[in-house]
Amino acid sequence: MSGNELIDLALNQPLAADEFKPVDLHLDRQDGLTVKWSDGRASRYDLGYLRKMCPCAQCRVEREKPKSPARPSGAGASLTVLPANIDKAATFTDAKLVGNYALNIVWGDGHRTGIYDFRYLRLICPQHGDPTARA
């Protein structure tokens, strides 16, 4: 399931369902985001993972772009140029709750438009297996 499909799946879940209600949120510069859910589960998200899974429109478009085709084995080495601010991309400068349904994280590279709906966070939890199995 693509990132966009996960976002759509999450937003079609009932907002009031207990499994999507956090009872504790802790965002740490070293340990990432830890969420304790009202059903007793706990989730931990690495900051790099959260940045990669940003649900904003710009990031959704970037994730859905076709990947470059693989180079033939004799075609020579390829050089990937990383952005100058790559070290800041997975650090945060600020975070705040959005109503009672989401978390907005301002990333070190200046990116600030990702609103992480709690339903989406629950579905992308790295510790609880394939989120598409719950669809």
Side-chain angles (χ1 to χ4, degrees):
M1 185 174 277
S2 76
N4 285 350
E5 291 170 326
L6 277 173
I7 293 167
D8 293 338
L9 175 64
L11 297 181
N12 284 317
Q13 303 299 314
L15 190 57
D18 281 344
E19 69 181 301
F20 302 117
K21 290 182 181 178
V23 293
D24 186 50
L25 295 164
H26 182 75
L27 186 58
D28 183 88
R29 295 184 193 289
Q30 297 294 327
D31 296 329
L33 175 65
T34 302
V35 181
K36 292 181 184 172
W37 303 98
S38 62
D39 67 356
R41 279 196 168 179
S43 302
R44 194 187 87 60
Y45 307 85
D46 178 73
L47 293 175
Y49 177 73
L50 284 175
R51 181 64 176 88
K52 177 183 164 195
M53 298 298 287
C54 177
C56 82
Q58 178 184 357
C59 292
R60 287 177 74 163
V61 168
E62 287 298 316
R63 275 194 303 272
E64 295 299 319
K65 281 185 178 176
K67 306 293 182 233
S68 300
R71 296 178 60 113
S73 59
S78 135
L79 175 64
T80 301
V81 179
L82 298 174
N85 62 355
I86 192 67
D87 58 328
K88 292 184 177 182
T91 61
F92 69 93
T93 60
D94 194 19
K96 59 186 168 205
L97 290 173
V98 178
N100 62 356
Y101 71 94
L103 179 67
N104 175 240
I105 300 173
V106 178
W107 295 101
D109 63 357
H111 187 70
R112 61 179 57 241
T113 56
I115 296 176
Y116 295 81
D117 186 290
F118 297 139
R119 296 168 294 183
Y120 178 62
L121 282 174
R122 183 65 185 253
L123 288 179
I124 65 167
C125 174
Q127 292 84 33
H128 297 116
D130 180 6
T132 62
R134 288 173 272 207

